[in-house]
Amino acid sequence: MTAEVEETIKRIQSQKGVQGIIIVNAEGIPIKSTLDNSSTVQYAGNVHQLLMKARGMVRDIDPQNDLTFLRVRSKKNEIMIAPGKEMYAFLFRIQKPKQM
Amino acid sequence: MTSKRPKSKEAHKIKGKDKKKENNFPTADEGASEPDHPDYIFPLVLTSATQELFGCRADEDLTGENPYKLLKKEDIVQDMKTRASVSDFSPIKQLVLDYPEEELLLVFDRDFTYGQSFYLVLTVEAKENILKPSVQGDDEEQINHEEEDEEMIIPKTPESRPWMSLGSEQEIEEESVTESRPRLRYKISPLLRRCGAPVCFSDRSALDGKEGFVECPSYQDKSFSIREMERHTAIQASSDTKHSSTQTLWKYPRNMWTQYESREFSPEEKEHHLQSENLKNFITSVLTRFEISLQQNHITDVFCDDWTALCEDDGALTGKTETQLKEYQSFMDLHFSKEKTISHIHWHPTISGVIAVAMTERLSLEERIDNSTKLLLNPSYILFWNFTDPINPQLQLECPDDVLCFQFCPSDPNIIAGGCMNGQVVLWDISAHVEKLQDTRSGGKNISNKLDKNNVTPVVRYCAVSGIENGHKAPITDIQWLPETFELSKLGIPVENPSRISVQLGTCAPDCCVLFWDLRPPRVVSQSLTDVKQKSEEKPLENPHGVPNTFKHLNLTWKPFIRVSLPKIGSSGEYSPLKFSLRDNTVDCPTGDKPPQNTDREEGCGFAQLRVPSAKQQKPLENISTKLYVGTEDGELVYTDWKIEKDNDSGRLLSSKPIHRLLVHDTLVNTVSRSPFFRDIILTVSSFSFAIWKEGVTSGPILRSACSKMLRTVGHWSLSRPAVFFIGKEDGSIEVWDLLQNSHEPSQSQNISSAAVTCISTSSISSKQHLLAVSDRLGTLHILQIPWTLRRSSNSERQIVKKYFEKEEERLEYFEKRQIQHEKEKKEMEAEQQRKKTEPVMPLKQEEELEAEALKEYEQFLALEKVILKNMGLLTETEDRSDL
């Protein structure tokens, strides 16, 4: 793995609140991940389907359009998904509670 | 078929006549044979000449198989004319002439059915009939066949024709029965003179005489044996029953499972992917997007709900305007409260609205001694009050002596333990009266009825007291049950309590010891057989009437199993405790830290059945603190450990020395109470001041109040707000201290009664209603409602209070540090001074040297001055030179 890529991933990972990064190929099989295997597999499977749906929706409404970024915010955390041509990366982030 | 016959018969008959005419010779014979053949057939003998003439020679032209020959009528007529009477056809001359058609049928009758070898068919229909089927044999059969054929060929519905008699009605007439003659009628009547005369009947047997009866025996008459020729039977056809079965394939449900694995890349593949250019490009392109969103998240906190956070703090300040404690109810018993004061209050833990108070005599020590005889006659009581009945107490518990403190057992609210003035520990069991307490709670309407029925409040006698020799030697001032989570072993080590029932309690008294008692019968180490026999032979002593047998095993023989003495640190003597407080206690935090009620715990398990488990079985619990705070008569707060240690020298079991002791208060400590929210915060109240302590902080109290003019008699934490506590005073007023508002003065002060407050206790009936029970010296129990401001805590209050305490702790630490530093500095200063004093005098420098030094310095100074002035541009060159 080239050093730049490694470094980039590390940089994002070190941001506040980021719990993990997963890089996944077009079929949803994880390539690289900073989380443990079972979580990775689980996330990859679930997110893949969501991404397919979102992308399909965007292109259905306007075929010239394409999905650039998808953010899923939940009560406890946030998942950011960025699709590419052949692979997707997504980032899993836990929102630190501001109140004590 | 039948209809056709007559016609053809007639036709044949005509033809037969014709034949006769033709044939003269045999006609005489013919005439006789005429009836043998039908009318349309005319048997005929043809001579051989005639046969040759007409080409119908027998057995040559006309054979058996082909017996038909059509003869022309003209030929026959010609023949008849030529041969006149010789012609064979002469008998039927007329018939032939009458024949309508041109051709007649001649049939070779081989079998001589009609008497001759040939016969002539005389009608057209018969000819056709014979010719068409061309069947040899009987005419009738032929006709039948023909007719049948005709019918089969042309089936048509038969038309209805009038009924023609064929002779069948004659048979019916013969069968039917008709009257052949008119019926004969006979009338028999007895002689008239016999009618009406009295008649005498007598019996006569039928067997008397031969004329008695006429017998008609049956006999077999041979002339009437009829052979049944015909019999009517019914026959029904039925199909054969058949059994058949079929079976399907039984597909029964079966559990099947499949297992899958998510697809993954092998490490080599992963490596390959990672190395690809695609990945690099992708990552770089995606990175910016991620960073933008992360930045956005940093800028604002997206998960913060502003709406809910908005209202939090305002609610506490505004809102309800009432801040005063409102009087809800007050209880005063006329019978029992005269000259008495309430020493202790305790709410019933489970039944809401029931509160128990202990009444004691309002006398000082000398007065007690003076009136001791009178006191013996007036027993003291613990009264149970119910909100629904403010006049009569619900229950009275009889005590052997004045009870200064008591507590309900936390695991079984029917057991009450109290400490008396004579140093005895008393136990009551009110399980028999619990229903009454609960009933009156729920059915308020029935109060009037109950009053009529029994005005007498039931009195419950105590079921066990401790032995006087082994208990305290001074009035017991504090009693507390140990929580059901743990129990103490013989050495004071907290071990796991398997039965989940509180079985132990602790008491303290000013006789300088804290005792721990166990409710279970003591373990007998060794039992000889004689002992066992004796025990079984003895009749168990019956308790007096009405007292339950729950603590039979303890009565009068009860002794404590741990005795914690409090030797003074640093000097001889002992501390005399008045109140104590454990870390995991049940008084101050009744709702917290209790294990969830186990459903499998036996209800009403008798304490007699429980046994002190052996030391080996018990599992020590690690997280129970064995240290307790004790407030003493001298105003000290002693922090000690209740574990018993073995003294190596003497082998006796001794309690350890207290860890430390803090003297803060001037007079005796009347309250040591832990905050229900923070386990390590303790409030101690003495007459002039109160203090808040934190466990572990030994330098001093976190908070200490100013000395107040009015004596403070009791203190109590609020159950719902971590920053609030109540202080009762001697003038009968209650101070409400709110640490969030003011820590130097009470936030509220309210006068409740005219006499001093003796005890405060809080209870939360429901979330809307929190009640404060205050008792005063006159024996009245006041119930006050805590207003909304004092019972509703905001979410962050706990944190704020915690921070406050921590801040105070830091202050103390800082204070200590500063003190230490001060001391250090002080020491240093002293050392410095010392040093200065003892410093040796320096030798005087020689004058010349001094002068030379001074000159040098002066020159240096001048040079410096010049440089500066030059830099500042104030010095001109001429001045500079002139100075030189």
Side-chain angles (χ1 to χ4, degrees):
Chain A
M1 182 145 181
T2 56
E4 297 176 22
V5 175
E6 187 76 50
E7 192 209 314
T8 315
I9 289 182
K10 274 219 175 64
R11 189 147 56 94
I12 297 186
Q13 173 79 20
S14 62
Q15 297 265 6
K16 191 170 74 169
V18 172
Q19 202 185 27
I21 299 184
I22 304 173
I23 300 180
V24 153
N25 84 333
E27 288 177 332
I29 306 174
I31 297 176
K32 168 114 180 90
S33 161
T34 59
L35 299 170
D36 58 288
N37 197 25
S38 52
S39 317
T40 302
V41 161
Q42 192 181 20
Y43 280 120
N46 287 331
V47 165
H48 183 65
Q49 294 175 25
L50 181 66
L51 191 58
M52 287 292 110
K53 269 281 187 236
R55 193 183 232 176
M57 184 201 85
V58 167
R59 292 190 82 136
D60 196 24
I61 290 170
D62 179 10
Q64 311 289 332
N65 209 350
D66 195 9
L67 185 71
T68 51
F69 204 72
L70 183 65
R71 262 172 143 180
V72 180
R73 265 194 215 139
S74 70
K75 269 193 208 166
K76 294 182 189 170
N77 40 41
E78 183 175 3
I79 304 176
M80 298 182 197
I81 306 159
K85 265 227 168 90
E86 279 180 19
M87 48 190 72
Y88 321 118
F90 50 94
L91 192 144
F92 184 61
R93 185 174 149 270
I94 285 192
Q95 172 70 26
K96 278 204 186 119
K98 289 271 165 102
Q99 305 156 342
M100 274 179 60
Chain B
M1 199 157 143
T2 51
S3 56
K4 280 190 181 157
R5 258 202 209 156
K7 266 196 193 166
S8 45
K9 271 189 182 169
E10 285 170 6
H12 278 254
K13 273 183 184 163
I14 295 165
K15 280 238 169 106
K17 284 177 192 162
D18 280 346
K19 275 192 193 168
K20 270 189 192 169
K21 285 176 192 171
E22 292 271 66
N23 208 343
N24 286 327
F25 293 123
T27 47
D29 298 332
E30 291 303 352
S33 68
E34 221 185 291
D36 289 340
H37 61 82
D39 290 334
Y40 54 83
I41 303 282
F42 188 73
L44 190 58
V45 175
L46 295 175
T47 58
S48 51
T50 322
Q51 285 180 15
E52 284 176 15
L53 198 66
F54 283 99
C56 55
R57 285 184 289 259
D59 293 324
E60 285 179 8
D61 293 322
L62 297 177
T63 57
E65 281 82 26
N66 186 20
Y68 305 111
K69 177 98 180 157
L70 287 164
L71 302 175
K72 288 219 164 88
K73 181 177 157 183
E74 290 168 3
D75 292 341
I76 297 169
V77 169
Q78 187 80 26
D79 181 54
M80 277 193 293
K81 279 179 187 168
T82 51
R83 296 202 289 173
S85 57
V86 184
S87 169
D88 296 320
F89 297 104
S90 53
I92 49 165
K93 181 181 176 183
Q94 192 58 43
L95 289 171
V96 170
L97 287 170
D98 289 352
Y99 194 73
E101 284 196 353
E102 291 293 315
E103 291 185 335
L104 279 98
L105 180 68
L106 178 75
V107 184
F108 171 57
D109 190 12
R110 196 154 202 252
D111 297 342
F112 284 85
T113 44
Y114 294 114
Q116 302 295 336
S117 58
F118 289 92
Y119 63 87
L120 198 69
V121 176
L122 297 172
T123 57
V124 182
E125 292 102 323
K127 178 183 97 178
E128 282 171 7
N129 281 344
I130 291 165
L131 274 180
K132 275 178 193 163
S134 67
V135 175
Q136 184 78 8
D138 243 355
D139 282 343
E140 286 185 3
E141 284 182 21
Q142 279 184 357
I143 290 163
N144 281 341
H145 284 297
E146 282 168 16
E147 285 175 351
E148 275 180 34
D149 287 335
E150 277 186 34
E151 277 196 24
M152 275 161 45
I153 291 165
I154 311 166
K156 60 181 177 184
T157 54
E159 296 157 11
S160 61
R161 297 192 191 105
W163 179 69
M164 273 188 283
S165 166
L166 292 172
S168 57
E169 72 269 19
Q170 287 165 5
E171 292 171 10
I172 291 169
E173 277 175 19
E174 284 163 18
E175 291 281 319
S176 64
V177 175
T178 50
E179 290 181 5
S180 53
R181 58 169 171 79
R183 290 190 178 177
L184 299 168
R185 296 183 79 210
Y186 292 98
K187 184 173 175 191
I188 303 165
S189 62
L191 292 170
L192 206 61
R193 60 181 165 90
R194 283 226 182 141
C195 295
V199 176
C200 178
F201 288 108
S202 63
D203 291 331
R204 201 187 74 157
S205 166
L207 296 169
D208 297 352
K210 289 226 168 158
E211 282 81 13
F213 61 95
V214 176
E215 203 177 21
C216 301
S218 62
Y219 66 94
Q220 197 159 9
D221 191 357
K222 291 246 165 54
S223 62
F224 280 110
S225 62
I226 304 171
R227 212 179 100 214
E228 238 180 300
M229 299 295 286
E230 273 183 10
R231 188 206 290 260
H232 285 282
T233 50
I235 296 177
Q236 182 167 7
S238 68
S239 57
D240 292 334
T241 54
K242 255 198 250 183
H243 285 278
S244 72
S245 61
T246 173
Q247 176 122 8
T248 59
L249 282 175
W250 179 30
K251 288 190 170 51
Y252 53 91
R254 225 185 300 194
N255 279 337
M256 287 292 288
W257 51 271
T258 174
Q259 186 162 356
Y260 72 94
E261 217 177 57
S262 51
R263 280 192 302 173
E264 274 184 0
F265 283 132
S266 64
E268 298 86 33
E269 280 181 331
K270 273 191 194 166
E271 271 303 312
H272 166 73
H273 275 279
L274 289 172
Q275 298 293 336
S276 68
E277 268 299 305
N278 266 336
L279 184 70
K280 200 162 58 157
N281 295 339
F282 166 68
I283 291 276
T284 43
S285 71
V286 149
L287 189 67
T288 41
R289 285 179 255 171
F290 271 120
E291 287 189 331
I292 289 171
S293 0
L294 282 171
Q295 257 183 358
Q296 281 174 356
N297 283 341
H298 278 261
I299 293 168
T300 53
D301 177 16
V302 287
F303 288 101
C304 171
D305 187 358
D306 298 319
W307 177 247
T308 51
L310 186 64
C311 69
E312 206 48 75
D313 301 325
D314 285 350
L317 298 170
T318 61
K320 303 287 164 83
T321 51
E322 53 169 80
T323 52
Q324 296 285 323
L325 299 162
K326 241 177 18 179
E327 172 106 9
Y328 182 72
Q329 214 164 8
S330 80
F331 295 101
M332 170 92 181
D333 187 55
L334 301 164
H335 284 295
F336 305 106
S337 312
K338 267 192 251 181
E339 311 293 325
K340 286 209 184 180
T341 172
I342 298 178
S343 57
H344 198 78
I345 308 175
H346 205 268
W347 291 88
H348 197 286
T350 48
I351 307 176
S352 68
V354 174
I355 188 170
V357 297
M359 318 288 294
T360 57
E361 292 292 334
R362 210 188 319 157
L363 301 167
S364 70
L365 186 60
E366 289 119 18
E367 288 165 357
R368 271 180 196 269
I369 297 169
D370 289 337
N371 297 337
S372 54
T373 45
K374 214 185 350 167
L375 285 173
L376 283 173
L377 296 172
N378 288 350
S380 34
Y381 291 105
I382 292 181
L383 300 178
F384 275 70
W385 291 100
N386 192 318
F387 283 179
T388 51
D389 188 1
I391 304 173
N392 291 335
Q394 301 305 122
L395 206 59
Q396 283 177 37
L397 303 181
E398 195 185 316
C399 335
D401 205 347
D402 282 347
V403 166
L404 287 178
C405 55
F406 67 97
Q407 204 189 356
F408 284 85
C409 172
S411 51
D412 184 4
N414 294 334
I415 311 290
I416 303 157
C420 289
M421 229 164 176
N422 55 6
Q424 280 182 317
V425 181
V426 192
L427 286 168
W428 289 274
D429 185 354
I430 57 162
S431 11
H433 302 272
V434 166
E435 292 86 27
K436 184 169 180 290
L437 284 174
Q438 278 169 338
D439 267 345
T440 51
R441 181 77 194 93
S442 56
K445 306 163 202 166
N446 296 337
I447 281 178
S448 52
N449 294 345
K450 284 203 174 149
L451 280 173
D452 296 330
K453 280 181 190 167
N454 45 353
N455 268 329
V456 181
T457 330
V459 178
V460 180
R461 219 181 114 83
Y462 50 88
C463 42
V465 281
S466 66
I468 295 188
E469 320 82 43
N470 300 320
H472 284 286
K473 311 271 188 306
I476 297 179
T477 46
D478 201 4
I479 184 168
Q480 280 186 17
W481 287 86
L482 290 181
E484 56 208 19
T485 46
F486 68 94
E487 60 181 53
L488 298 182
S489 71
K490 264 228 152 251
L491 293 173
I493 300 167
V495 291
E496 198 183 339
N497 183 357
S499 58
R500 294 274 175 245
I501 304 176
S502 296
V503 290
Q504 294 176 341
L505 46 93
T507 59
C508 79
D511 64 348
C512 311
C513 57
V514 175
L515 301 177
F516 286 93
W517 308 73
D518 196 319
L519 261 67
R520 296 169 293 194
R523 236 175 105 81
V524 180
V525 179
S526 62
Q527 264 185 351
S528 61
L529 284 170
T530 49
D531 282 341
V532 170
K533 266 196 203 156
Q534 272 181 356
K535 276 185 185 161
S536 58
E537 280 168 7
E538 274 176 19
K539 255 199 246 168
L541 288 168
E542 293 277 329
N543 262 355
H545 164 70
V547 179
N549 286 348
T550 328
F551 297 111
K552 262 266 322 91
H553 52 275
L554 295 172
N555 201 4
L556 295 174
T557 55
W558 200 13
K559 54 183 174 182
F561 69 104
I562 295 178
R563 180 184 287 265
V564 181
S565 64
L566 303 165
K568 282 200 181 168
I569 308 169
S571 57
S572 66
E574 286 173 333
Y575 299 111
S576 46
L578 284 181
K579 297 275 179 187
F580 69 100
S581 164
L582 315 165
R583 192 186 170 100
D584 307 280
N585 61 8
T586 54
V587 177
D588 298 317
C589 10
T591 52
D593 260 32
K594 241 195 206 165
Q597 294 284 333
N598 301 339
T599 50
D600 53 356
R601 193 185 72 185
E602 296 157 30
E603 294 270 343
C605 159
F607 283 95
Q609 276 88 41
L610 291 174
R611 290 276 177 268
V612 179
S614 73
K616 294 170 212 151
Q617 289 171 3
Q618 291 168 333
K619 199 176 67 172
L621 289 175
E622 302 296 326
N623 55 350
I624 309 284
S625 157
T626 57
K627 305 193 174 34
L628 57 107
Y629 273 97
V630 177
T632 64
E633 257 182 332
D634 302 321
E636 298 155 325
L637 187 65
V638 179
Y639 188 53
T640 180
D641 194 336
W642 73 60
K643 273 200 284 227
I644 308 282
E645 291 162 353
K646 239 187 175 159
D647 190 11
N648 289 330
D649 300 333
S650 54
R652 274 191 304 153
L653 296 170
L654 286 178
S655 60
S656 49
K657 281 219 163 184
I659 298 169
H660 56 260
R661 132 278 186 213
L662 303 133
L663 177 60
V664 158
H665 300 293
D666 312 312
T667 54
L668 52 85
V669 174
N670 54 36
T671 309
V672 176
S673 159
R674 292 208 186 223
S675 166
F677 293 91
F678 306 105
R679 275 309 178 72
D680 46 1
I681 303 288
I682 299 137
L683 168 74
T684 56
V685 178
S686 83
S687 302
F688 293 109
S689 61
F690 68 85
I692 295 182
W693 306 79
K694 187 165 175 153
E695 193 167 348
V697 173
T698 57
S699 49
I702 296 180
L703 180 74
R704 198 163 121 196
S705 81
C707 290
S708 71
K709 289 182 210 151
M710 199 58 64
L711 294 183
R712 298 197 164 104
T713 48
V714 73
H716 191 84
W717 286 96
S718 157
L719 279 182
S720 52
R721 287 191 61 184
V724 171
F725 52 92
F726 303 96
I727 304 274
K729 297 186 107 147
E730 210 191 348
D731 60 352
S733 61
I734 299 264
E735 282 180 352
V736 178
W737 286 74
D738 188 349
L739 288 174
L740 294 179
Q741 290 184 342
N742 282 327
S743 56
H744 65 279
E745 62 173 17
S747 62
Q748 252 180 277
S749 183
Q750 194 175 342
N751 193 303
I752 306 294
S753 80
S754 51
V757 171
T758 50
C759 191
I760 301 180
S761 177
T762 49
S763 149
S764 55
I765 304 285
S766 62
S767 64
K768 292 261 163 70
Q769 197 183 32
H770 284 208
L771 297 176
L772 187 72
V774 178
S775 64
D776 67 8
R777 213 158 162 275
L778 290 175
T780 316
L781 176 70
H782 303 266
I783 309 283
L784 304 157
Q785 246 183 349
I786 300 177
W788 188 80
T789 49
L790 288 178
R791 69 167 183 262
R792 194 193 169 278
S793 70
S794 54
N795 278 0
S796 50
E797 185 170 334
R798 199 182 164 135
Q799 267 75 326
I800 295 174
V801 173
K802 199 167 169 187
K803 271 193 186 153
Y804 171 74
F805 287 137
E806 279 167 12
K807 196 177 66 168
E808 292 296 319
E809 202 185 325
E810 277 168 25
R811 173 186 70 85
L812 277 177
E813 279 175 22
Y814 173 74
F815 191 65
E816 265 189 43
K817 270 192 218 157
R818 287 302 297 178
Q819 266 200 331
I820 295 168
Q821 206 169 6
H822 267 290
E823 292 209 13
K824 227 179 15 180
E825 277 177 5
K826 202 170 164 188
K827 271 193 197 150
E828 273 178 10
M829 265 176 56
E830 279 177 11
E832 183 90 22
Q833 275 179 3
Q834 281 285 334
R835 214 159 21 98
K836 277 197 185 143
K837 279 188 198 159
T838 57
E839 227 176 38
V841 181
M842 295 242 320
L844 280 168
K845 279 190 185 164
Q846 296 203 352
E847 276 195 38
E848 292 106 19
E849 284 177 32
L850 282 169
E851 268 187 34
E853 269 181 41
L855 204 65
K856 233 192 268 177
E857 276 185 44
Y858 184 60
E859 277 171 10
Q860 276 178 1
F861 165 70
L862 282 173
L864 183 63
E865 192 188 1
K866 265 189 213 153
V867 166
I868 289 172
L869 286 172
K870 214 193 261 180
N871 284 341
M872 284 168 65
L874 295 171
L875 196 62
T876 58
E877 281 199 14
T878 52
E879 279 186 39
D880 187 18
R881 261 189 227 133
S882 66
D883 275 11
L884 276 172

